Amino acid sequence: MLDILKAIIFGIVEGITEWLPISSTGHLIIMEELLKLDQGDAFFEMFQVVIQLGAILAVVVIYFHKLNPFSPKKTQKQKMMTWQIWIKVVIGCLPAAVVGILFDDWIDKTLYHWYVVALMLIVYGILFIVVENYQKGKEPQVTKFSQLTIPMILIIGVFQMLAMIPGTSRSGATIVGALMIGVSRSVATEYTFFLAIPVMFGASLLKLIKFGFSFTAMQVAVLLVGMIVSFAVSIVAIKFLMSYIRKNDFKVFGYYRIVLGVIVFLFFGIQALLA
């Protein structure tokens, strides 16, 4: 039962940090030190990725009408525009999909270290502040989905690909990339949410295949609890973020990332020195 309680805590952390641009990996790496699941390292590695399915379902539920091209409530033109959204999502996911398939094992073995996470937290925290300061007072070039061009989509897709480096934050990287090319905060954030659907479904499936779909009853319970909690918390986190950005910029998340990066450096650096 203790692992169920831990799964609830992990689900809460995942549901908040997956959508706010503050790096779920950065938080989960600290959580792993404080609350280890007693289910083995292979299960925990898979668990961290697969509980994201709960977060993804929150996006699907909130934006179901907007993303549903078969809705009888939509006109033919609206259905065509919905298909255009999905086409742009698929194109934007291509860079991350290619790199993920080819280099997933290498990334896991080479880059999943606390110092990489800490460094990327700080780097992208600084980027948020710099980009927001640079764009201050400027009118965004893109205020509607229909204005996103293929070159813009591919640039944002490359930033999402870079987010495969732990500590970067998938939402943080794609939002930074979008803001840099003149996309409004609301379009950048929604597009980031939509890009997550195929990417995180794909990543979860890949981890499940590698794990082998061989679970004990307790592992199934832990996984389901983590996903359900992640789903519920994500609903709140997504609505909060969309409300927040209507009147505020992303600099507060940049400062938060820098502070968290320093904490990770100190926490694990001191541990390494004392070991």
Side-chain angles (χ1 to χ4, degrees):
M1 291 305 295
L2 185 58
D3 271 359
I4 296 294
L5 179 59
K6 291 177 183 178
I8 292 172
I9 297 171
F10 275 112
I12 293 170
V13 173
E14 166 62 27
I16 295 172
T17 60
E18 187 59 52
W19 304 115
L20 303 187
I22 53 178
S23 175
S24 59
T25 305
H27 290 77
L28 289 175
I29 194 173
I30 296 175
M31 295 295 297
E32 182 181 3
E33 287 295 311
L34 301 175
L35 294 171
K36 286 186 178 292
L37 291 174
D38 297 324
Q39 303 296 326
D41 292 339
F43 175 81
F44 184 73
E45 181 184 333
M46 179 272 300
F47 170 82
Q48 289 184 88
V49 176
V50 176
I51 59 169
Q52 295 175 346
L53 286 176
I56 281 299
L57 289 175
V59 173
V60 174
V61 168
I62 291 173
Y63 292 99
F64 184 77
H65 178 71
K66 187 167 186 173
L67 294 173
N68 180 14
F70 306 107
S71 173
K73 297 180 181 179
K74 288 183 176 180
T75 65
Q76 196 61 35
K77 183 180 179 180
Q78 289 172 326
K79 289 178 182 179
M80 286 298 297
M81 290 178 69
T82 305
W83 281 116
Q84 287 178 14
I85 290 174
W86 278 110
I87 290 169
K88 290 177 179 181
V89 166
V90 171
I91 294 172
C93 288
L94 290 178
V98 172
V99 171
I101 292 169
L102 295 178
F103 299 104
D104 183 61
D105 288 336
W106 181 86
I107 291 169
D108 283 350
K109 292 176 183 176
T110 309
L111 298 180
Y112 267 81
H113 300 289
W114 63 266
Y115 47 85
V116 176
V117 171
L119 178 63
M120 299 315 293
L121 279 167
I122 293 170
V123 167
Y124 274 84
I126 294 170
L127 267 177
F128 262 122
I129 296 167
V130 170
V131 170
E132 283 287 11
N133 285 337
Y134 178 75
Q135 297 289 357
K136 189 175 182 180
K138 295 182 180 180
E139 288 296 323
Q141 300 173 23
V142 176
T143 56
K144 299 177 182 178
F145 258 94
S146 58
Q147 295 174 318
L148 283 171
T149 64
I150 299 301
M152 286 179 171
I153 290 166
L154 289 174
I155 290 170
I156 297 170
V158 169
F159 272 87
Q160 179 171 244
M161 177 191 72
L162 293 174
M164 298 182 75
I165 302 172
T168 300
S169 169
R170 192 200 54 77
S171 61
T174 50
I175 289 171
V176 163
L179 292 178
M180 287 175 67
I181 59 175
V183 180
S184 69
R185 293 189 190 96
S186 59
V187 173
T189 305
E190 281 196 355
Y191 187 50
T192 295
F193 293 163
F194 301 161
L195 282 175
I197 297 173
V199 166
M200 289 165 65
F201 266 119
S204 297
L205 181 61
L206 191 61
K207 292 296 183 184
L208 284 169
I209 290 171
K210 286 184 177 181
F211 188 75
F213 293 94
S214 177
F215 302 101
T216 65
M218 177 54 71
Q219 287 174 339
V220 171
V222 167
L223 200 56
L224 286 176
V225 167
M227 287 172 59
I228 291 168
V229 174
S230 175
F231 167 80
V233 175
S234 289
I235 294 283
V236 178
I238 290 169
K239 290 184 176 181
F240 162 77
L241 184 59
M242 293 309 296
S243 174
Y244 177 85
I245 62 173
R246 290 191 186 102
K247 298 180 180 178
N248 303 276
D249 59 27
F250 285 103
K251 283 196 286 188
V252 66
F253 299 115
Y255 292 121
Y256 178 87
R257 289 176 63 96
I258 293 169
V259 171
L260 180 63
V262 171
I263 290 172
V264 172
F265 261 125
L266 292 174
F267 183 84
F268 289 97
I270 291 171
Q271 273 195 346
L273 288 173
L274 295 177

